[in-house]
Each structure stands twice: as C-alpha cells, then as structure tokens.
Amino acid sequence: MEKALPAYNSSWRHILFGFEGRCNRRDYCFKYCLPLILFIVAVITYKINAPRPEVPIHETPIGKVVLLFLQLLTTWMFIAVGKKRCQDMEKSPGFLVYSVVPIFNIYCLCVLAFKSGTPGPNKYGLPYGKTSTE
C-alpha cells in the first residue's frame, strides 16, 4: 500500500520552521526575504533604543544575546525554506551546502529562486494547488 503524499502547506509556520514537504518559487522568494528583513529591523530597533548608541551592538552583553538569537532563528528559517525548495525540484537538500561556498552561492540562489519545481507529485509531496494525486 502506498503512503499518501502530503498536500502542499503554505502556512507561515510550516514554510519557515517545518522541514517536510515542498516550497514553490513564489513562497521561496517571498519567505526567504522575511528572515533578512526581520534581522535588519531588529538590529535597527535595538540600535535606536540602545542605552548607549555610540557602542556597537555586538559589544554589549544584551546585544550579543540578541544577535545570537536572531542569527540562530534566521539560520533555521533559511535552512527550512531552502530544504523544502530543494525537495520541490527533487534535488538533495545537500545542495544547500554549496550555498556557503563563495561565488557558487550566487548560482545556488539563482537555481533555488528561478528554476521551476517538479510539475507533478514527487516523493516529497504534492505541488502547490494540488490536494490529491488524481
């Protein structure tokens, strides 16, 4: 008996924090930018409200904690979204390892952002807009 393929889940929580299923190009591009915006807004907000604005954020104890938390959170989001995007194209999620290599990371970003995914169901689930394999 075949295992039922999971339907496409476009919820924010699933796309940004889950590791199963697929992610189409639109969701990838839109939700890939969200962690970057979150990080930038948090740093600017901290800098504006800092008790001593002349001290760089990474030199204050609370700034170190805030930056570490934000870096861990955004890294988790990048990996989750990237893994699902690789699965949409039936690539190994190991493809994301190349995104840390200088110059090759530009190629990886272009492939993930512009290459279309598998048009029908694949071993990771159904494509966007499909609710069954029929």
Side-chain angles (χ1 to χ4, degrees):
M1 216 164 142
E2 286 187 34
K3 182 180 158 187
L5 293 172
Y8 186 86
N9 186 347
S10 63
S11 72
W12 284 88
R13 190 186 73 179
H14 175 73
I15 295 287
L16 294 175
F17 299 104
F19 284 93
E20 295 187 8
R22 297 168 65 170
C23 178
N24 63 18
R25 287 182 290 186
R26 183 199 65 202
D27 281 348
Y28 175 77
C29 291
F30 183 63
K31 293 174 180 168
Y32 186 85
C33 293
L34 181 71
L36 290 175
I37 294 167
L38 171 74
F39 189 80
I40 291 167
V41 167
V43 169
I44 290 171
T45 303
Y46 177 82
K47 196 64 176 161
I48 291 171
N49 298 318
R52 296 186 349 231
E54 68 279 355
V55 178
I57 188 172
H58 63 277
E59 290 183 7
T60 62
I62 190 73
K64 288 178 183 180
V65 172
V66 168
L67 285 177
L68 177 64
F69 174 74
L70 288 173
Q71 287 173 339
L72 292 174
L73 182 67
T74 55
T75 299
W76 183 277
M77 289 178 186
F78 284 139
I79 292 170
V81 173
K83 180 180 184 283
K84 285 192 286 293
R85 184 68 188 121
C86 287
Q87 291 174 170
D88 186 46
M89 297 182 299
E90 287 195 284
K91 285 188 174 292
S92 166
F95 180 75
L96 292 177
V97 172
Y98 295 122
S99 66
V100 297
V101 178
I103 306 299
F104 196 70
N105 58 359
I106 296 168
Y107 169 75
C108 290
L109 180 63
C110 289
V111 167
L112 293 173
F114 300 115
K115 184 178 179 194
S116 58
T118 307
N122 66 18
K123 63 182 178 180
Y124 299 107
L126 299 170
Y128 179 73
K130 302 277 184 170
T131 55
S132 69
T133 57
E134 300 171 358

